[in-house]
Structures are given as structure tokens and as C-alpha cells.
Amino acid sequence: MWFLLSARGERPLAFVFTRFVLEGRIGPNRESWDVLWERLPAFRRIWRVASVMWGIGLLLDAVVRVVIAYALPVDAVPGVNTAQYIAFLLLMQVAMNVYLVPTGVYNRWSPLYAELRST
């Protein structure tokens, strides 16, 4: 729920958690993410959508875990939960990249950053 709620807040959780990994590696001049956030509405929207994607994914993950806990024998749950955790993370990484790559966030020459290059 926090991911979903943060999408309406000042800084969505996907932005906050991803910033320390990608800041300085994306953008035309490797600007601070504070600059990108302030000057590019599309950049803000990208991270709000990413937070919603993670929020929905985590809610679905919780539902699956509850079903696993009730449907399987107690001894099987830890092993299945571990496999489910790995599968969830892989699926979310694929989903995030399927969304982020076309937005141009990783490409410093993409139209996303055109406003920064023109100034």
C-alpha cells in the first residue's frame, strides 16, 4: 500500500529507492535527480507509474503468499515462498524494464530529456 500511496505524494517510493542506484548514470548531463524531478514532468510521471506498478505487484504477491499459506502443508510453505520470492523479483524487474526502456529514461538522447539539452 505504501507504494500506491506514495505515487500521490511528493516523492514516490520507486523514485526514492531507485535514486541511489541510477542517479548520475542517466540524463543528458548526469544531472541530479532533483533537477530532473523539478524540470521534467514526464520524469515525475515515470516514477509515479513505476510506484503504482510496484504497489500492484506487491499486493498480488501478498495474495499469492496467503493462498500458498492456506493451500499447502506447513512444511512446504518456506520452500515455496522462497521460490515465489525469486519469481516475483524476476517478474518485477522484467516488467519495470519493459516499462522504463521505452520511456527513454536510460537513453540520454531520448525525447524525455530534450528540454534539458535545449537549455
Side-chain angles (χ1 to χ4, degrees):
M1 292 303 299
W2 286 113
F3 271 92
L4 293 173
L5 293 172
S6 76
R8 305 283 276 164
E10 185 175 327
R11 296 280 202 270
L13 286 177
F15 174 88
V16 173
F17 291 155
T18 307
R19 183 177 186 168
F20 79 96
V21 175
L22 291 180
E23 187 170 34
R25 296 180 183 184
I26 65 170
N29 299 318
R30 308 205 190 284
E31 285 91 354
S32 162
W33 276 29
D34 291 327
V35 171
L36 298 174
W37 185 265
E38 291 299 321
R39 297 189 53 203
L40 303 175
F43 186 80
R44 292 191 295 270
R45 184 176 190 286
I46 287 167
W47 295 110
R48 291 190 194 287
V49 170
S51 287
V52 169
M53 290 173 67
W54 271 99
I56 291 169
L58 287 166
L59 285 175
L60 292 173
D61 177 65
V63 169
V64 169
R65 288 182 189 280
V66 169
V67 170
I68 287 170
Y70 280 104
L72 296 178
V74 174
D75 292 343
V77 171
V80 173
N81 269 343
T82 300
Q84 196 266 334
Y85 178 73
I86 292 167
F88 169 75
L89 285 179
L90 289 172
L91 286 172
M92 284 305 296
Q93 287 302 315
V94 168
M96 288 309 303
N97 281 301
V98 164
Y99 170 66
L100 290 175
V101 169
T103 66
V105 76
Y106 298 124
N107 179 0
R108 72 179 57 192
W109 304 110
S110 78
L112 172 65
Y113 302 118
E115 182 183 323
L116 293 177
R117 286 192 305 271
S118 66
T119 58

